[in-house]
Amino acid sequence: MNSMKNKKSFSTARTSRIAVAVSSGSTALHATVVEQIGLRIVQGDFLPGEALPSADDSSEMLGVSRTVLREAIKVLAGKGLVESRPKTGTRVRPRSDWNFLDPDVLSWRYAAGVSDEDVRALFELRRAIEPMSAALAAQRATPVQIAEIHAALAEMEAFSDDGDRFAKPDLVFHQTILRMTGNELIGSLAALVETALVMSFRLSNDNPEGQRHSLPLHREVAEKIAAGDGPGAQKALLVLIDNAEEDVRRSVENRNKRRKDREQQS
């Protein structure tokens, strides 16, 4: 199936966001086009092996130049989502080639809703990175870094009943732990963990208790790191992640129940 025979289009993606991006400048426009196409692919509107509409058709549908479209396709190719070849056009690559560690791809994956499998994958990722990072942080953290994590904890305590304001210092808390390892490769994962953490925060917003109940667990992690207790820090952070997953699963269950109730009423 070549692009001319592909009846699918980007017509539903040409929204007011494109118009806003056009007025904001080329950088915003480029990012918006990448997002519009990336979302459609990751959410399954275009299946692996399937051709995207031709460059001319896509440019017209999205209301952008072929130059903007070409640059967007390059970005998506770098994320493993598509490949372009002469005569066959641009096709969606197999899911096994997609870079799910890319923050954009990870964000697009959860944009349309969250399943139990999605929650499991999200927290398996966190468990693979953060507890061991806490153990290394306990061995290598500098006094300045320990002061930073305690400052983030104090801010979390101040905003424990305000989910939106709590999220920022909580993010700083977890990212600082990665940088405390002194391992530049692990420190570079901060952007990835940022996306995973933001997803966690967003999914647990339904918790009527706010985030106050998580403060003792965060405090224990900070204390173990400050004391140089690697095994203790690793265990404390694992418990913190386990509890966060329980919060998210309850939140997702409540959201799905409300969605079903609305569908039954309509």
Side-chain angles (χ1 to χ4, degrees):
M1 176 173 63
N2 60 36
S3 60
M4 294 301 293
K5 295 180 180 180
N6 189 351
K7 295 182 180 180
K8 295 183 180 180
S9 72
F10 294 118
S11 58
T12 58
R14 188 176 180 180
T15 65
S16 59
R17 294 187 61 191
I18 294 287
V20 171
V22 169
S23 64
S24 299
S26 60
T27 300
L29 176 60
H30 175 266
T32 302
V33 173
V34 169
E35 180 184 25
Q36 293 291 330
I37 300 175
L39 274 170
R40 296 288 300 278
I41 293 172
V42 174
Q43 293 178 8
D45 292 339
F46 291 91
L47 301 176
E50 194 168 6
L52 300 184
S54 69
D56 287 338
D57 291 342
S58 296
S59 296
E60 182 179 355
M61 294 168 190
L62 292 166
V64 299
S65 69
R66 289 192 58 171
T67 299
V68 171
L69 179 66
R70 183 167 54 249
E71 292 303 313
I73 293 299
K74 287 181 180 179
V75 172
L76 294 171
K79 298 176 185 296
L81 297 182
V82 300
E83 62 180 355
S84 298
R85 295 182 178 178
K87 299 183 180 181
T88 62
T90 301
R91 293 183 179 273
V92 179
R93 296 176 67 177
R95 284 181 65 91
S96 58
D97 293 340
W98 296 2
N99 181 11
F100 284 106
L101 297 182
D102 181 275
D104 285 335
V105 177
L106 187 63
S107 178
W108 296 336
R109 173 174 177 168
Y110 295 107
V114 181
S115 66
D116 287 341
E117 173 66 18
D118 290 329
V119 175
R120 182 188 65 78
L122 177 64
F123 281 92
E124 283 183 349
L125 171 66
R126 293 189 60 185
R127 288 189 185 92
I129 298 172
E130 295 185 74
M132 181 56 70
S133 295
L136 292 174
Q139 301 171 21
R140 303 172 180 174
T142 67
V144 171
Q145 290 173 325
I146 291 175
E148 289 175 356
I149 201 170
H150 277 106
L153 181 61
E155 193 170 353
M156 290 162 64
E157 292 172 339
F159 300 134
S160 59
D161 296 321
D162 185 334
D164 291 336
R165 299 179 73 180
F166 181 91
K168 183 177 179 180
D170 196 6
L171 179 61
V172 172
F173 182 95
H174 288 274
Q175 289 186 313
T176 300
I177 290 174
L178 295 183
R179 297 188 178 98
M180 282 177 164
T181 64
N183 183 315
E184 292 179 339
L185 299 180
I186 295 176
S188 294
L189 293 173
L192 169 63
V193 174
E194 176 176 350
T195 304
L197 288 170
V198 169
M199 289 297 163
S200 300
F201 301 153
R202 190 176 300 162
L203 294 173
S204 61
N205 279 344
D206 288 347
N207 192 328
E209 301 176 3
Q211 296 297 327
R212 185 174 295 278
H213 66 289
S214 73
L215 287 175
L217 297 174
H218 283 90
R219 190 177 301 111
E220 182 174 1
V221 171
E223 290 174 351
K224 296 295 184 182
I225 290 175
D229 182 355
Q234 181 174 2
K235 181 179 179 180
L237 191 41
L238 184 59
V239 172
L240 176 58
I241 293 175
D242 287 344
N243 278 265
E245 181 175 7
E246 291 180 11
D247 286 345
V248 168
R249 289 192 179 278
R250 283 194 296 268
S251 177
V252 170
E253 183 178 347
N254 290 336
R255 292 184 184 193
N256 290 339
K257 183 177 183 301
R258 289 197 299 270
R259 185 180 301 111
K260 289 181 179 179
D261 290 343
R262 287 194 298 270
E263 292 173 352
Q264 292 174 354
Q265 293 172 3
S266 60

